[in-house]
Protein backbone atom coordinates (compact mmCIF):
# COMPACT_ATOMS: atom_id res chain seq x y z
CA UNK A 1 0.00 0.00 0.00
CA UNK A 2 1.39 3.40 -1.00
CA UNK A 3 2.20 5.55 2.03
CA UNK A 4 4.92 7.88 0.76
CA UNK A 5 4.94 10.08 -2.33
CA UNK A 6 8.28 11.26 -3.67
CA UNK A 7 8.60 14.09 -6.19
CA UNK A 8 11.14 15.39 -8.64
CA UNK A 9 11.59 19.20 -8.64
CA UNK A 10 12.12 20.72 -12.10
CA UNK A 11 9.07 20.45 -14.38
CA UNK A 12 7.33 18.37 -11.73
CA UNK A 13 6.79 20.92 -8.95
CA UNK A 14 8.32 24.02 -10.55
CA UNK A 15 8.84 25.45 -14.02
CA UNK A 16 10.38 28.58 -15.54
CA UNK A 17 9.17 31.45 -17.68
CA UNK A 18 11.54 30.38 -20.45
CA UNK A 19 8.79 30.50 -23.10
CA UNK A 20 8.15 34.19 -22.42
CA UNK A 21 11.86 34.97 -22.54
CA UNK A 22 12.42 33.10 -25.80
CA UNK A 23 9.39 34.71 -27.40
CA UNK A 24 11.05 38.08 -26.74
CA UNK A 25 14.31 36.75 -28.20
CA UNK A 26 12.57 35.71 -31.42
CA UNK A 27 10.89 39.10 -31.70
CA UNK A 28 14.36 40.66 -31.94
CA UNK A 29 14.80 38.61 -35.11
CA UNK A 30 11.36 39.65 -36.40
CA UNK A 31 10.11 36.10 -35.85
CA UNK A 32 6.83 35.25 -34.11
CA UNK A 33 5.90 31.96 -32.47
CA UNK A 34 3.07 31.77 -29.97
CA UNK A 35 3.73 30.65 -26.41
CA UNK A 36 2.26 27.18 -26.94
CA UNK A 37 4.48 26.54 -29.97
CA UNK A 38 7.53 27.54 -27.94
CA UNK A 39 6.44 25.43 -24.95
CA UNK A 40 6.04 22.34 -27.12
CA UNK A 41 9.42 22.94 -28.79
CA UNK A 42 11.08 23.19 -25.36
CA UNK A 43 9.26 20.05 -24.26
CA UNK A 44 10.46 18.11 -27.30
CA UNK A 45 14.03 19.40 -26.90
CA UNK A 46 14.03 18.39 -23.23
CA UNK A 47 12.79 14.90 -24.02
CA UNK A 48 15.32 14.43 -26.81
CA UNK A 49 18.19 15.41 -24.49
CA UNK A 50 16.85 13.21 -21.69
CA UNK A 51 16.75 10.24 -24.04
CA UNK A 52 19.92 10.74 -26.08
CA UNK A 53 22.21 12.56 -23.63
CA UNK A 54 21.31 11.44 -20.09
CA UNK A 55 22.48 13.78 -17.35
CA UNK A 56 23.49 16.63 -19.64
CA UNK A 57 20.59 18.93 -18.76
CA UNK A 58 21.61 18.91 -15.11
CA UNK A 59 25.15 20.07 -15.84
CA UNK A 60 26.66 23.52 -16.42
CA UNK A 61 24.59 24.97 -19.26
CA UNK A 62 27.68 26.49 -20.90
CA UNK A 63 28.65 22.97 -21.95
CA UNK A 64 25.49 22.27 -23.93
CA UNK A 65 23.39 25.41 -24.36
CA UNK A 66 24.36 26.29 -27.98
CA UNK A 67 23.60 22.70 -28.92
CA UNK A 68 20.28 22.86 -27.04
CA UNK A 69 19.23 26.16 -28.65
CA UNK A 70 19.94 24.68 -32.09
CA UNK A 71 17.63 21.76 -31.22
CA UNK A 72 14.96 24.15 -29.90
CA UNK A 73 15.07 26.16 -33.14
CA UNK A 74 14.85 22.98 -35.19
CA UNK A 75 11.58 22.10 -33.45
CA UNK A 76 10.39 25.68 -34.07
CA UNK A 77 11.23 25.27 -37.78
CA UNK A 78 13.78 28.08 -37.59
CA UNK A 79 17.29 28.59 -38.87
CA UNK A 80 18.94 31.38 -36.88
CA UNK A 81 22.62 32.14 -36.15
CA UNK A 82 23.23 30.45 -32.81
CA UNK A 83 25.83 32.87 -31.48
CA UNK A 84 23.57 35.84 -32.20
CA UNK A 85 20.62 34.09 -30.56
CA UNK A 86 22.69 33.42 -27.44
CA UNK A 87 23.82 37.03 -27.28
CA UNK A 88 20.27 38.33 -27.64
CA UNK A 89 19.03 35.83 -25.05
CA UNK A 90 21.58 37.07 -22.52
CA UNK A 91 20.42 40.62 -23.19
CA UNK A 92 16.72 39.74 -22.86
CA UNK A 93 17.35 37.71 -19.69
CA UNK A 94 18.75 40.82 -18.01
CA UNK A 95 15.39 42.54 -18.57
CA UNK A 96 13.25 39.45 -17.99
CA UNK A 97 15.19 36.98 -15.79
CA UNK A 98 14.41 33.29 -16.01
CA UNK A 99 12.99 32.20 -12.66
CA UNK A 100 11.77 28.96 -11.16
CA UNK A 101 8.16 29.19 -10.01
CA UNK A 102 5.80 26.56 -8.63
CA UNK A 103 3.23 25.24 -11.07
CA UNK A 104 -0.24 26.67 -10.51
CA UNK A 105 -1.85 24.68 -7.73
CA UNK A 106 1.32 22.76 -6.80
CA UNK A 107 1.32 23.81 -3.15
CA UNK A 108 -2.43 23.19 -2.84
CA UNK A 109 -2.03 19.76 -4.40
CA UNK A 110 0.72 18.81 -1.95
CA UNK A 111 -1.46 19.95 0.95
CA UNK A 112 -4.35 17.89 -0.42
CA UNK A 113 -2.18 14.79 -0.62
CA UNK A 114 -0.96 15.36 2.94
CA UNK A 115 -4.57 15.68 4.09
CA UNK A 116 -5.20 12.23 2.59
CA UNK A 117 -2.57 10.81 4.92
CA UNK A 118 0.43 10.55 2.60
CA UNK A 119 3.91 11.62 3.61
CA UNK A 120 5.75 13.61 0.98
CA UNK A 121 9.37 13.85 -0.06
CA UNK A 122 11.68 15.21 -2.74
CA UNK A 123 14.47 13.44 -4.62
CA UNK A 124 16.06 15.80 -7.13
CA UNK A 125 19.12 16.23 -9.29
CA UNK A 126 19.79 19.92 -8.57
CA UNK A 127 22.57 22.31 -7.63
CA UNK A 128 22.93 24.28 -4.40
CA UNK A 129 20.00 26.54 -5.32
CA UNK A 130 17.38 23.80 -4.74
CA UNK A 131 16.43 24.75 -1.19
CA UNK A 132 16.12 28.41 -2.13
CA UNK A 133 13.77 27.48 -4.99
CA UNK A 134 11.67 25.37 -2.63
CA UNK A 135 11.55 28.06 0.07
CA UNK A 136 10.76 30.89 -2.35
CA UNK A 137 7.73 28.93 -3.54
CA UNK A 138 6.65 27.74 -0.09
CA UNK A 139 7.09 24.09 -1.05
CA UNK A 140 9.69 23.12 1.55
CA UNK A 141 7.12 23.32 4.34
CA UNK A 142 4.99 20.69 2.58
CA UNK A 143 7.80 18.11 2.38
CA UNK A 144 8.84 15.65 5.08
CA UNK A 145 12.16 14.68 3.48
CA UNK A 146 14.36 16.50 0.97
CA UNK A 147 17.18 14.69 -0.84
CA UNK A 148 19.21 16.77 -3.32
CA UNK A 149 21.98 15.35 -5.50
CA UNK A 150 24.40 18.25 -4.94
CA UNK A 151 24.15 17.74 -1.18
CA UNK A 152 24.52 13.96 -1.09
CA UNK A 153 26.92 13.49 -4.01
CA UNK A 154 24.71 10.98 -5.86
CA UNK A 155 22.51 11.62 -8.89
CA UNK A 156 19.49 9.86 -10.33
CA UNK A 157 19.28 7.30 -11.91
CA UNK A 158 21.84 5.86 -9.46
CA UNK A 159 19.67 3.67 -7.21
CA UNK A 160 21.68 4.73 -4.16
CA UNK A 161 20.00 8.13 -4.03
CA UNK A 162 16.62 6.42 -3.86
CA UNK A 163 17.87 3.98 -1.20
CA UNK A 164 19.18 6.92 0.83
CA UNK A 165 15.82 8.68 0.66
CA UNK A 166 13.94 5.54 1.69
CA UNK A 167 16.27 5.03 4.62
CA UNK A 168 15.88 8.64 5.79
CA UNK A 169 12.10 8.38 5.61
CA UNK A 170 12.02 4.91 7.21
CA UNK A 171 9.75 3.62 4.44
CA UNK A 172 10.05 0.72 2.00
CA UNK A 173 10.23 0.93 -1.76
CA UNK A 174 6.95 -0.95 -2.12
CA UNK A 175 5.25 1.66 0.07
CA UNK A 176 6.53 4.50 -2.12
CA UNK A 177 5.48 6.17 -5.35
CA UNK A 178 7.87 8.43 -7.27
CA UNK A 179 6.55 11.19 -9.55
CA UNK A 180 8.87 12.79 -12.11
CA UNK A 181 9.16 14.02 -15.69
CA UNK A 182 12.36 12.29 -16.84
CA UNK A 183 11.83 8.64 -17.73
CA UNK A 184 15.55 7.88 -17.92
CA UNK A 185 16.42 9.40 -14.54
CA UNK A 186 13.19 9.02 -12.62
CA UNK A 187 11.43 5.87 -13.81
CA UNK A 188 14.56 3.84 -14.59
CA UNK A 189 16.24 4.92 -11.36
CA UNK A 190 13.44 4.28 -8.92
CA UNK A 191 12.46 0.99 -10.52
CA UNK A 192 15.97 -0.30 -9.76
CA UNK A 193 15.03 -0.27 -6.08
CA UNK A 194 11.47 -1.51 -6.60
CA UNK A 195 9.62 1.80 -6.26
CA UNK A 196 6.42 2.48 -8.16
CA UNK A 197 6.61 5.45 -10.51
CA UNK A 198 4.37 7.89 -12.37
CA UNK A 199 5.75 9.74 -15.38
CA UNK A 200 4.66 13.33 -15.92
CA UNK A 201 4.32 14.34 -19.55
CA UNK A 202 2.24 17.43 -20.19
CA UNK A 203 1.57 16.50 -23.83
CA UNK A 204 0.41 12.90 -23.67
CA UNK A 205 3.07 10.69 -25.21
CA UNK A 206 4.62 13.52 -27.27
CA UNK A 207 8.38 13.43 -26.93
CA UNK A 208 8.35 9.98 -25.34
CA UNK A 209 6.90 8.01 -28.25
CA UNK A 210 9.72 5.48 -27.95
CA UNK A 211 8.47 4.23 -24.59
CA UNK A 212 6.33 1.17 -24.16
CA UNK A 213 3.31 1.49 -21.90
CA UNK A 214 3.97 3.27 -18.65
CA UNK A 215 1.54 5.22 -16.42
CA UNK A 216 1.61 8.83 -17.61
CA UNK A 217 -0.09 11.83 -16.03
CA UNK A 218 -0.15 15.43 -17.23
CA UNK A 219 0.89 16.93 -13.88
CA UNK A 220 0.89 16.41 -10.13
CA UNK A 221 -2.75 17.49 -9.98
CA UNK A 222 -3.52 14.00 -11.34
CA UNK A 223 -1.74 12.07 -8.57
CA UNK A 224 -4.71 11.91 -6.18
CA UNK A 225 -7.01 10.53 -8.88
CA UNK A 226 -4.38 7.95 -9.85
CA UNK A 227 -4.36 6.79 -6.22
CA UNK A 228 -8.15 6.54 -6.18
CA UNK A 229 -8.99 9.79 -4.40
CA UNK A 230 -10.99 12.84 -5.51
CA UNK A 231 -8.94 15.33 -7.44
CA UNK A 232 -8.35 18.59 -5.56
CA UNK A 233 -10.28 21.58 -6.87
CA UNK A 234 -7.60 24.14 -7.59
CA UNK A 235 -8.26 27.81 -7.02
CA UNK A 236 -5.97 29.45 -9.55
CA UNK A 237 -5.68 33.18 -10.11
CA UNK A 238 -4.93 34.00 -13.71
Amino acid sequence: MIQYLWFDLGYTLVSTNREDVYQKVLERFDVFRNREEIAIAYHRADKLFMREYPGVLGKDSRAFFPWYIGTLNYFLRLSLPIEEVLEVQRDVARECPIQWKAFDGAKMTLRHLRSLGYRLGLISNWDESARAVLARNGLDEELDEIVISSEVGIEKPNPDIFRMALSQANVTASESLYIGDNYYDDVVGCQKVGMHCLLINAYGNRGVEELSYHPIITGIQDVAAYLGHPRVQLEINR
Side-chain angles (χ1 to χ4, degrees), residues 172-186:
T172 67
S174 62
E175 295 169 333
S176 299
L177 174 68
Y178 190 82
I179 300 102
D181 71 309
N182 184 335
Y183 177 85
Y184 299 94
D185 280 355
D186 300 332

Side-chain angles (χ1 to χ4, degrees), residues 183 187 191 198-199 208-216 226:
Y183 177 85
V187 177
Q191 285 185 339
L198 275 178
L199 180 66
V208 293
E209 295 89 351
E210 79 280 6
L211 302 182
S212 56
Y213 172 76
H214 188 85
I216 293 177
Y226 176 82

Side-chain angles (χ1 to χ4, degrees), residues 20-33 38 65 69-70 72-73 76-93:
D20 300 318
V21 172
Y22 206 64
Q23 190 172 52
K24 293 179 183 296
V25 170
L26 295 181
E27 288 172 358
R28 297 279 189 94
F29 291 90
D30 295 320
V31 172
F32 176 79
R33 293 290 187 273
I38 297 172
F65 205 53
I69 289 296
L72 178 66
N73 286 340
L76 287 168
R77 307 175 310 282
L78 295 172
S79 179
L80 297 172
I82 299 300
E83 291 302 321
E84 290 183 33
V85 171
L86 294 174
E87 183 177 348
V88 170
Q89 185 160 35
R90 285 190 290 268
D91 185 44
V92 170

